[in-house]
Amino acid sequence: MTMETLPESLLGAVRSGQLIPVIGADTLKNVTDPQGQPMPADSDSLIMALNQGRAMSPKLMYEFSRAAMNIELKRGRKAVTRFLDNLYRDTTWSISPVHQQLASMHLDYIIDMNRDTQLQLLWQDTPHILVVGVARISGASERYRVFHYNGSQYLATQASWLDTTLPVLFKPVGTPLPESLYIASDADYVDYLTELMGGFGMPTFLKKKRLGRQYLLLGLRLDRDTPRMLLSDIAYGAGQPAGWACLPNATANEEKYLQRKGFVILPMTHEQCLAALQEAMLPSYV
């Protein structure tokens, strides 16, 4: 794979600082625990882990949020939070090469559609802003929390007090660090997406930061409504093209959605895309 594989427009977006990576579950495929067991990352593996290794009914297996809603109704919302904490906070995982490559590129904005802490650990020496999606909270219309990482710890803060020149990590569906905040069940998604569409799912500085920007989708499948709805609202106001999707085997539904939203499909894996990007941009990052 060489840099000639990539469109010049994509390389130009990287060079100009316009590119925003959006990473999905497939970027975690090679992450393992100390026993060599893979991290449950995609919807099916998450459902199986949530249900003690057993499959659920076909209706619930359709998407993790449905299965999480079922567990929440039976055992309470805290049961889902405990599962996610144990998975992402209390288990030691290997570091993904994809995340290492992204961290080495010194980008100003990364959107992480997963709930793991890989990028947070890789940025533990880098002051940054963390924006986390939240749902079903009372007393405020905002559906996000903002933290400033000062190089040693996260401090909860208000968006209006931030140094917005710092790099931003946006985790719309949650993380266990510094607090256990997750968008997981159907009820969570309904609340968060409703407020995201209404303008309350992202701080104002991020809504300004995204205007005219272009996105690189890495390991993000778009064959379900939930990720499509998230991406549509998060990437509102994108440039032309809106971005590029690394999908070697895009489904008809994915192709239709991406074309409608102005994305160019690159028939390559996210690993191939990042390798080609690093080859093209290496002088900038060494």
Side-chain angles (χ1 to χ4, degrees):
M1 187 64 57
T2 64
M3 61 184 175
E4 284 76 23
T5 310
L6 300 177
E8 182 58 38
S9 54
L10 170 54
L11 299 178
V14 179
R15 294 188 184 105
S16 66
Q18 287 291 100
L19 194 72
I20 302 171
V22 184
I23 59 177
D26 284 359
T27 62
L28 296 169
K29 276 189 173 179
N30 297 319
V31 174
T32 59
D33 67 12
Q35 289 73 46
Q37 295 300 308
M39 175 189 282
D42 63 22
S43 181
D44 285 354
S45 58
L46 274 171
I47 294 170
M48 296 282 285
L50 176 65
N51 199 40
Q52 289 80 50
R54 301 185 304 272
M56 301 179 79
S57 70
K59 182 178 179 181
L60 297 178
M61 289 296 296
Y62 179 78
E63 195 167 13
F64 174 69
S65 60
R66 287 189 184 179
M69 190 76 246
N70 179 266
I71 296 297
E72 179 179 316
L73 290 171
K74 289 179 177 177
R75 295 161 44 199
R77 194 179 187 190
K78 288 184 179 179
V80 178
T81 298
R82 283 194 300 269
F83 162 74
L84 295 171
D85 280 348
N86 180 65
L87 180 61
Y88 296 120
R89 184 192 66 195
D90 303 333
T91 304
T92 300
W93 299 102
S94 63
I95 297 297
S96 153
V98 170
H99 293 72
Q100 288 178 316
Q101 286 176 300
L102 285 172
S104 73
M105 293 172 70
H106 308 297
L107 299 163
D108 74 323
Y109 185 15
I110 298 177
I111 299 168
D112 187 353
M113 296 286 204
N114 303 312
R115 301 176 185 87
D116 65 277
T117 62
Q118 296 260 323
L119 282 172
Q120 290 174 268
L121 294 175
L122 288 164
W123 274 10
Q124 62 185 342
D125 295 323
T126 303
H128 61 270
I129 297 167
L130 172 67
V131 180
V132 185
V134 297
R136 297 155 71 188
I137 57 173
S138 59
S141 55
E142 290 83 4
R143 291 298 187 268
Y144 59 84
R145 292 284 302 281
V146 181
F147 301 90
H148 171 237
Y149 184 75
N150 62 12
S152 61
Q153 63 179 327
Y154 281 107
L155 302 171
T157 185
Q158 296 182 27
S160 58
W161 298 351
L162 287 169
D163 175 3
T164 55
T165 63
L166 291 173
V168 178
L169 176 59
F170 181 27
K171 292 182 68 67
V173 298
T175 176
L177 299 177
E179 300 176 20
S180 300
L181 301 169
Y182 302 110
I183 308 295
S185 69
D186 277 346
D188 291 335
Y189 276 101
V190 167
D191 181 68
Y192 181 69
L193 285 166
T194 299
E195 297 303 333
L196 183 64
M197 288 186 284
F200 299 105
M202 299 172 68
T204 300
F205 81 90
L206 268 194
K207 288 188 281 189
K208 292 179 179 178
K209 195 179 188 73
R210 68 185 174 178
L211 296 178
R213 300 290 291 269
Q214 295 169 292
Y215 300 83
L216 180 63
L217 312 187
L218 299 166
L220 180 66
R221 302 305 311 208
L222 295 160
D223 50 357
R224 294 290 184 268
D225 287 340
T226 300
R228 291 197 293 259
M229 293 171 72
L230 280 169
L231 181 63
S232 293
D233 286 306
I234 290 171
Y236 180 81
Q240 294 293 329
W244 301 264
C246 299
L247 285 175
N249 300 296
T251 66
N253 282 340
E254 287 174 320
E255 289 181 356
K256 182 179 179 181
Y257 168 81
L258 289 165
Q259 289 169 3
R260 187 173 75 250
K261 293 297 180 181
F263 282 83
V264 176
I265 297 175
L266 304 179
M268 63 175 68
T269 67
H270 55 276
E271 294 98 339
Q272 290 170 326
C273 182
L274 278 178
L277 262 184
Q278 286 208 316
E279 180 182 339
M281 309 305 296
L282 188 60
S284 299
Y285 299 131
V286 297

